[in-house]
Amino acid sequence: MKKFNIRKVLDGLTAVSSSSSSSAALQPGNRENDVIQETLQSEHFQLCKTVRHGFPYQPSAMAFDPVQKILAIGTQNGALRLFGRAGVECYCQHESGSAVIQLQFLVNEGALVTALADDSLHLWNLRQKIPAILHSLKFSRERITFCHLPFQSKWLYIGTERGNIHIVNVESFSLSGYVIMWNKAIELSSKTHPGPVVHISDNPMDEGKLLIGFECGFVVLWDLKSKKADYRYSYDEAIHSVAWHHEGKLFVCSHSDGTLTTWNVRSPAKPAQIITPHGKQPKDGKKPEPCKPILKVEYKTARAGEPFMILSGGLSYDTVGRRACLTVMHGKSTAVLEMDYPIVDFLALCETPYPNDYQEPYAVVVLLEKDLVVIDLAQPGYPSFENPYPLTIHESPVTCCEYFADCPAELIPALYSVGSRQKRQGYSKKKWPISGGNWGQGAQSYPEIIITGHADGSVKFWDASALMLQVLYKLKTAKVFEKARNKEEKPSTDIVDEDPFAIQSLAWCPESRLLCVAGVSAHVIVYRFSKQEITTEEVQLLEVRMQCELNEVDSPDVGGDQASAVTTPGASSSPQSSVPQTHPSTSSNNSSDGLRDNVPCLRVRNTPLKQSPGYQVELVIQLVWVSGEPPQQITSLAVNSAYGLVAFGNGNGLAVVDYLQKTLLLNMGTAELYGSSDPHQRQPRSPRKARQPSGDNLPKTSCMSSLSSFYSESVKKLRSSYLSKSSDFIDHFSFFYRSRSSSVASIDKESREVISSLHFCDCLSRKCEVTAVASLWLGTSVGTMLAISLSVPSTPELRLQQSVGISFLVRLKGGIMRMALMDSTGSLQPPAYECWYDLNAPEEEKERTRRRRPASPPSTQENQDSHYAVVCSEKQAKVVAMPSQNCVFEHNITENSFVLRADVVVMPAGICIACFCTVNPSYSASFLCASLPSLRPLLDVNYLPLTDMRIARTFCFSNLGQALYLTSPTEIQRLTYSQETCDNLQEMLGELFTPVETPEAPNRGFFKGLFGGGAQSLDREDLFGELAAGKASRSLAQHIPGPGSMEGMKGAASGVVGELARARIALDERGQKLGELEERTAAMMASADSFSKHAHDVMLKYKDKKWYQL
């Protein structure tokens, strides 16, 4: 444990890394025994990913293990997501990043084969908590188009683009010399190349018969033993999929013209039946009109009823604009189930894994482009199951998120109780069928909550405890506004083209359950939590007029860290303040010259609003147009329940509102905050210089400039004037970098000084103060930190008459990112708060629960420092002693880059400052943690390539070493920088593989067994083994041993399952080696016997002959 003296200069400060430098400058203190002990050390930190939540982005393939009941989904960027029961999820990634084109489970073996678009095969070991690749096989001369692994077989069939079929041993991942060439399969039946292989399957009743489907419409039944085709089937239309009847006598093909052809195995001349499920049948008996391709068909039989035929696609071409459909044909009934998104793949879940038995389908898993739906086939109407996975993160694009760890214990039950009333009805009453795996046994038990803001104005609360994610409650902020029914009714005062209710930032007080959200249309809404349902007759509205007459800023070099305190009059005398309105205003006011003036961007509804239990509107604050100029976007937001205040700032200035009295307390421009001690040289400009006449062609992008990167290419309709394509990452990143000031001395003269950070606290901001007062700290984009002393009387009249004291604290390089207060013992001093009470509860209950929980107010004698301000900017961090305002520690985080997100967090062993930074010019990101108060670097590692600005804009820290970011439009990646969490991660993760007995094979029956009518087995080893088929060409594919073969088992889960998995793999490898040794020994013995026999024959031949007779 190292001790740091606040008054003496530190010698030998920890050496800094190459990417950052630090320096310490300590000012003489007033007490000799003022010592802060730091407990955090570098061994307390380790950075690693924990779990990934959400829907797999851009899914491309799916597979299901019917015994383990595990679902696997592959994506276009090479990701692999595995799902078991609720709370059991796993994420893996192929290094190449190529699209996953097909998945094949080794049923009940704890292994999975993935086929990628780069023509590689990978075998994954699922017997460990973090799956690893055991083997890889890279094809070099042919492209993979289809894979098939028969149940309980170790031989994998690989179809290629050239029409050939190769066979792979999944145990050794080696190619067999047995190859089915396309010309041998079709021979003279076709004059042209049949195209790629689109289907491979073996006859359910005869493993020696292989059905091969070619793209052109040609199907071959291949005899594996005789190495020739038994039957060939031809149809004029291209084939997309093939499905067998379980008895092996019939199979069904789906075609590109929307038809289904049913073939009798022994009648290859023509189909037994041709149907067009969605085609119109002409009355004159002609062929039905062609429909869209049927992309997939499955044929499943039931013992006690008609078979199911399930297909996707095949709709008529005249159904323009109709959504994708899944068709279920059962007997004479046909059900068409519309889906919200295009269908990627679907699978029928059956009671048995054996293909030669009645399938008994009970559900269908439908993988959509942006959703996963499971349909119950056993109930009338085919209802869907309620999905237990957190796959609705992207229901509306995420625009902001916040992460809160170690929340009050009663919060999650309270949110769940009000959120349970929002659940949809009509789901299947059966249990979720994907139920494999087991939960982890981790010791992490503190409550965690994630809040996401969305483009449609909704806010979602998620329970993120114990590495799981479950939606708790959804709030729709757009309810308080009037919605335009069409474009003609859209108000001309909108400043964004679409999604005017999108959430830009939010502030939440967990203790008081007070929520404050800021939207892109320059509005702020304050919510209170209540368990009672109420009807609000009139939504309270407060319109604020903010404008700035001084725009261009010239900043001097950083010359000092302190300046004299200034006192500025309050809002009542401010020239920018407006009279607060507490009633909705929908009028459109114009100034004398025809410019929009005093008009909000959105219209608040003027009808009664029914508010369900949960978060209910307390106050709506809207910024209004000023002389033809739209309001600036809100760049910072803070709320405090103990003071009853909400503060927000933008490029024009700062506003402080009392949400209890519904009054505007403070409305000041940025230049007015400095008063006469403004360190910047500002050039006045005419406020009418940039005005535009009122019309419908006004630019509507100012408030969405910071949100454009949250939208995927398919849904991005929110465009800004300076960002045309978010896919062009370098241009986007360059703009993001230029928008931040590289130093105080090099500020872009065309940009305004923006309020970038706000923080409420009780502190001593000025040297003359002896007791702590309510204060608001604000940081600006040019690196200035100011402290505003607030007086909070009980009546609005006194509030409006109170003067506001403003003092200048410190100046840093780059915009201020985060501010915090630390007491004299080195502990983080949280803001004061008021405990939650139900505003709509009876009066006696409110008085019993309503009480203020102040922060421990620092007190001091004259000329003595009692607490410290921690300030972090885009370039550096400082610790400032209060109230003397002396900078005691300083750390230069970066010179060539900037900090994207910073926070002061509480770790199990102390507090630290955590930063997420860019590393230029490589456009990668680094992770930095520094101790407090000395700002000694504890962790500095490169984390990931910053390939998406979504990561930079959604990254957020939380206490106890947790963090997260939006890694794709549909997924949240959580990570930890705590060594303790990393050590316990294996125990906290769930297990995918659990020992389960494979169901017994179907009974063949007496007569089938007697006359040979049952399923015919095949010894594939005799056909495909090296002794029978020889070795494959080495140039065809390259075998690559995977890192998880033996090394992966070292990270397997501890416990019986992990030990059994390790023992089984070791025994398999030992058995394989013993088998090879036995084969070599047998070959040597055979050779020795042959030699002995020949020697004996030679001896007998020449036994009685003389030497001259030889």
Side-chain angles (χ1 to χ4, degrees), residues 113-156:
V113 176
T114 57
L116 305 189
D118 63 353
D119 308 311
S120 63
L121 296 173
H122 305 274
L123 177 63
W124 290 84
N125 179 16
L126 306 184
R127 292 174 175 265
Q128 53 196 63
K129 290 193 173 183
I130 303 177
I133 294 177
L134 296 174
H135 300 282
S136 296
L137 196 64
K138 181 73 169 64
F139 282 75
S140 56
R141 294 191 301 181
E142 297 195 49
R143 306 213 62 182
I144 299 173
T145 57
F146 195 86
C147 302
H148 171 63
L149 180 65
F151 178 53
Q152 293 183 330
S153 170
K154 68 175 184 179
W155 298 97
L156 175 70

Side-chain angles (χ1 to χ4, degrees), residues 316-579:
S316 175
Y317 280 103
D318 59 4
T319 56
V320 179
R322 187 173 180 178
R323 294 185 293 183
C325 296
L326 185 78
T327 304
V328 180
M329 302 171 65
H330 184 215
K332 295 182 180 181
S333 67
T334 300
V336 181
L337 310 176
E338 286 195 350
M339 302 293 162
D340 293 333
Y341 306 100
I343 298 174
V344 177
D345 196 4
F346 73 88
L347 292 171
L349 306 187
C350 304
E351 296 289 351
T352 176
Y354 293 93
N356 58 354
D357 193 11
Y358 286 97
Q359 301 299 294
E360 304 292 348
Y362 59 89
V364 180
V365 181
V366 188
L367 178 63
L368 308 178
E369 283 189 358
K370 295 183 180 179
D371 200 2
L372 181 70
V373 179
V374 181
I375 299 168
D376 188 354
L377 294 178
Q379 293 190 26
Y382 303 131
S384 60
F385 289 86
E386 184 176 6
N387 199 320
Y389 307 135
L391 303 183
T392 59
I393 294 173
H394 64 287
E395 187 177 19
S396 175
V398 178
T399 54
C400 69
C401 57
E402 296 293 338
Y403 190 7
F404 300 88
D406 201 13
C407 301
E410 67 276 3
L411 252 182
I412 291 178
L415 289 169
Y416 182 80
S417 65
V418 296
S420 59
R421 308 179 188 182
Q422 300 176 334
K423 291 186 177 180
R424 289 174 47 195
Q425 303 297 324
Y427 289 112
S428 172
K429 297 180 180 180
K430 294 184 178 181
K431 293 183 179 180
W432 181 251
I434 306 170
S435 56
N438 285 324
W439 293 310
Q441 303 295 326
Q444 183 176 335
S445 58
Y446 49 83
E448 299 174 78
I449 292 178
I450 296 173
I451 306 178
T452 55
H454 299 264
D456 63 352
S458 61
V459 178
K460 291 183 180 180
F461 292 78
W462 306 82
D463 178 9
S465 307
L467 296 185
M468 297 185 185
L469 193 69
Q470 181 184 10
V471 66
L472 293 172
Y473 173 72
K474 180 180 179 181
L475 170 67
K476 297 180 180 179
T477 65
K479 284 185 175 181
V480 303
F481 299 107
E482 293 183 357
K483 292 184 180 181
R485 298 180 181 178
N486 49 52
K487 293 184 178 179
E488 288 73 17
E489 295 183 9
K490 194 173 183 179
S492 59
T493 53
D494 278 4
I495 55 179
V496 290
D497 292 331
E498 293 190 10
D499 294 332
F501 312 113
I503 306 299
Q504 190 166 7
S505 61
L506 55 90
W508 187 50
C509 177
E511 290 79 13
S512 63
R513 305 182 190 178
L514 190 69
L515 175 67
C516 190
V517 298
V520 295
S521 296
H523 63 273
V524 176
I525 310 177
V526 182
Y527 288 91
R528 283 177 176 268
F529 186 85
S530 175
K531 296 181 179 180
Q532 312 295 325
E533 181 178 304
I534 63 171
T535 299
T536 304
E537 296 297 329
E538 192 174 41
V539 177
Q540 295 294 311
L541 171 65
L542 183 66
E543 294 181 352
V544 179
R545 180 184 178 93
M546 297 180 71
Q547 72 180 93
C548 182
E549 298 292 333
L550 300 173
N551 186 29
E552 298 180 356
V553 180
D554 290 338
S555 176
D557 293 337
V558 180
D561 291 324
Q562 55 183 342
S564 58
V566 205
T567 302
T568 308
S572 59
S573 60
S574 173
Q576 298 178 31
S577 62
S578 61
V579 178

